[in-house]
Amino acid sequence: MTALKNDRFLRALLKQPVDVTPVWMMRQAGRYLPEYRASRASAGDFMSLCKNPQFACEVTLQPLDRYPLDAAILFSDILTIPDAMGQGLYFETGEGPRFRKTVSTLADIEALPIPDAQQDLGYVMDAVSTIRRELNGRVPLIGFAGSPWTLATYMVEGGSSKDFRKSKAMLYDNPQAMHLLLDKLAQSVTSYLNGQILAGAQAVQIFDSWGGSLSSAAYQEFSLAYMRKIVSGLIRENDGRKVPVIVFTKGGGLWLESIADIGADTLGLDWTCDIGEARQRVGSKVSLQGNMDPTVLYARPEAIRQEVARILASYGSGTGHVFNLGHGITPEVDPANAGAFIEAVHELSAQYHV
Ligand code: 1CP
C-alpha cells in the first residue's frame, strides 16, 4: 500500500508527537456541501450513494478537496447492519431513517441473522477499498459502525426516536431479549469493523449516539459492556501499523473513567464536557477527540476562532488530541465557516506542539 503523506491523525490517536493538532469533522461529507447535494441528486437517494462504491468514494473525498482535513471517513451509515439483518432500511426525502420491519419480541430477535461482512455488506467493503485507492495516501481513512445499543434503538423503534419509548420498555420489561439483541449486534459490528479494517480502514470509530439517554446503571450493562466486547474482538494491527479504535458516547461525560477502561485508544467527547478536565480524569490511558459545539459554526469566523483557541488552551500542550466537533456538522452551516474552523485549528495549535 502507498505510504501515508499525512499521518498526524493516527499519530495523535496513539499519543505520538505531531506538528499541529489534527482535525476532521463528524458528518464532514453531507448536506451542508452543495457538491454533496448534487451527487445525491444524481445517485437518486441517500442509500444509492452508500450502495455504489464510486458514489460513496466521490462524496467521501468532497470535503477533502475543499479543506486541509487530516482524515477521511467512509461515506456510509450506521444502519447498514440492521438493513443487512433484513429490517428493510429506507429514507423518505427530508425525513430520518425508517425500517419496513421492526423487532419487538424474543422470537423476532431469535430469528435475526448475523450478517456476513463480505457477502451481505460487500458494498461497504468495496467502498472502503475504492476510497483507499483514490486517497492514494493523502490522509488516513476512518471506518465506523454504530454501537449495539444505538442500533437496537432504531431496530426496536422502527426509526429515529426522541424518548426511546419502545426500546427502553424492552430493556426493563424483557432484559433477556434486549441482551440477546445486543449480543447479536456486537457480533455483527465486530465482524463488520474487522471487514472494514481488512479492506483498508486505518482507524475505526464506534458511534454510541444514544448511550447518553440511559441511566448510569443501564449504560454500563446495556451499552458499555457490548462496546467492550467489540473492542476486544477487533483487529488492532494491519499492514504493519496499529489500527486505533475511537469510542464516542454522546452524553457520556459523566462516565469517562469507565469508558476509558474498555480497551479503546481514544474517547470521543461531546461539547458538554471541558476537555482539560476530561484529560485529567482519564490520565494517560486514552487520547481524546472533540469537542467544539457544532452550533458554534453558525457564528462568525472570529467567534469560531476564539472557541477553537479556548478548547486548545484547555487541552494544553502535547499530543493526544484530535480536534473535532462534539457531534455532526449540521446541514445549515455555511461551508466557509467550516473552512475557518479547520484553518484555526492548524494555525492556533502549533504553539502547543513545540
Ligand atoms: O443526504 C441525506 O439526507 C442523508 C443524511 C445522512 C448522511 C449524510 C444520513 C442519514 N447518514 C449520513 C452519513 C453518515 N451517517 C455518516 C457519514 C460519514 C461522515 O461524513 O461523517 C456517518 C458517520 C453516519 C453515522 C450515523 N448515522 C449516526 C451516528 C452519528 C451521529 O450523528 O450521531 C447515526 C445516529 C445515524 C443514523 C442516521 N442516518 C441518517 C440520519 C439523518 C441519521 C440520524 C437520524 C436521527 O437523528 O435519529
Side-chain angles (χ1 to χ4, degrees):
M1 282 271 186
T2 335
L4 266 174
K5 295 171 189 108
N6 169 358
D7 66 350
R8 56 167 86 98
F9 166 71
L10 295 178
R11 295 182 60 84
L13 293 176
L14 297 169
K15 296 180 165 246
Q16 296 162 357
V18 287
D19 55 345
V20 294
T21 303
V23 56
W24 68 282
M25 299 182 294
M26 289 192 270
R27 293 279 175 103
Q28 63 192 21
R31 280 176 294 173
Y32 73 106
L33 291 178
E35 57 270 35
Y36 168 82
R37 297 195 297 267
S39 299
R40 191 184 58 179
S42 42
D45 57 27
F46 171 71
M47 281 313 284
S48 310
L49 277 183
C50 296
K51 292 201 167 170
N52 177 323
Q54 283 311 327
F55 271 123
C57 179
E58 177 181 306
V59 295
T60 299
L61 298 182
Q62 285 169 348
L64 289 132
D65 291 338
R66 256 189 199 253
Y67 314 116
L69 291 156
D70 296 299
I73 179 162
L74 161 70
F75 189 84
S76 188
D77 198 79
I78 61 167
L79 300 175
T80 51
I81 286 189
D83 188 48
M85 290 171 126
Q87 298 300 107
L89 172 66
Y90 66 101
F91 287 82
E92 305 269 25
T93 327
E95 307 255 338
R98 292 264 198 292
F99 287 107
R100 290 200 169 80
K101 278 202 218 162
T102 57
V103 163
S104 50
T105 63
L106 181 62
D108 293 342
I109 295 167
E110 279 167 343
L112 288 171
I114 292 171
D116 180 89
Q118 303 306 330
Q119 273 174 19
D120 305 314
L121 291 153
Y123 68 93
V124 179
M125 309 305 138
D126 290 346
V128 171
S129 51
T130 305
I131 298 163
R132 261 305 287 279
R133 199 167 54 240
E134 291 296 316
L135 274 171
N136 195 25
R138 260 162 93 180
V139 290
L141 175 62
I142 307 167
F144 71 92
S147 74
W149 166 250
T150 295
L151 295 176
T153 66
Y154 287 98
M155 295 174 77
V156 175
E157 306 290 339
S160 305
S161 173
K162 286 203 167 71
D163 52 10
F164 307 104
R165 202 183 321 164
K166 294 179 190 159
S167 34
K168 287 192 177 182
M170 184 189 285
L171 183 158
Y172 290 108
D173 275 338
N174 199 347
Q176 195 197 346
M178 183 52 89
H179 276 304
L180 182 64
L181 175 57
L182 295 169
D183 192 67
K184 285 192 165 189
L185 286 167
Q187 290 180 52
S188 307
V189 169
T190 307
S191 73
Y192 182 57
L193 288 177
N194 281 338
Q196 291 182 33
I197 291 166
L198 293 175
Q202 290 147 297
V204 292
Q205 175 157 328
I206 302 172
F207 284 90
D208 186 26
S209 304
W210 308 127
S213 73
L214 292 168
S215 72
S216 191
Y219 176 72
Q220 297 281 337
E221 182 180 344
F222 294 91
S223 188
L224 194 61
Y226 291 94
M227 293 199 286
R228 183 193 291 274
K229 206 165 171 180
I230 292 166
V231 172
S232 67
L234 291 179
I235 297 168
R236 300 299 280 271
E237 197 171 322
N238 190 41
D239 214 12
R241 260 194 112 124
K242 289 226 157 84
V243 181
V245 179
I246 307 162
V247 171
F248 171 58
T249 292
K250 181 166 170 278
L254 292 171
W255 310 315
L256 296 183
E257 291 82 354
S258 45
I259 307 172
D261 210 38
I262 67 169
D265 298 278
T266 308
L267 295 198
L269 301 177
D270 69 23
W271 65 93
T272 62
C273 26
D274 180 86
I275 196 166
E277 281 171 27
R279 187 182 190 183
Q280 288 196 337
R281 284 168 61 195
V282 301
S284 59
K285 242 183 201 165
V286 289
S287 49
L288 297 173
Q289 176 176 277
N291 71 338
M292 193 175 86
D293 183 344
T295 63
V296 173
L297 296 180
Y298 296 134
R300 288 167 299 112
E302 303 84 85
I304 295 169
R305 228 180 136 78
Q306 261 184 33
E307 193 53 18
V308 167
R310 190 191 62 74
I311 292 167
L312 287 170
S314 172
Y315 183 82
S317 291
T319 185
H321 180 203
V322 169
F323 218 111
N324 204 315
L325 305 172
H327 198 206
I329 186 169
T330 47
E332 302 78 15
V333 165
D334 179 347
N337 286 11
F341 163 66
I342 290 149
E343 190 183 286
V345 173
H346 284 155
E347 264 182 44
L348 302 174
S349 64
Q351 59 179 308
Y352 296 101
H353 300 283
V354 282

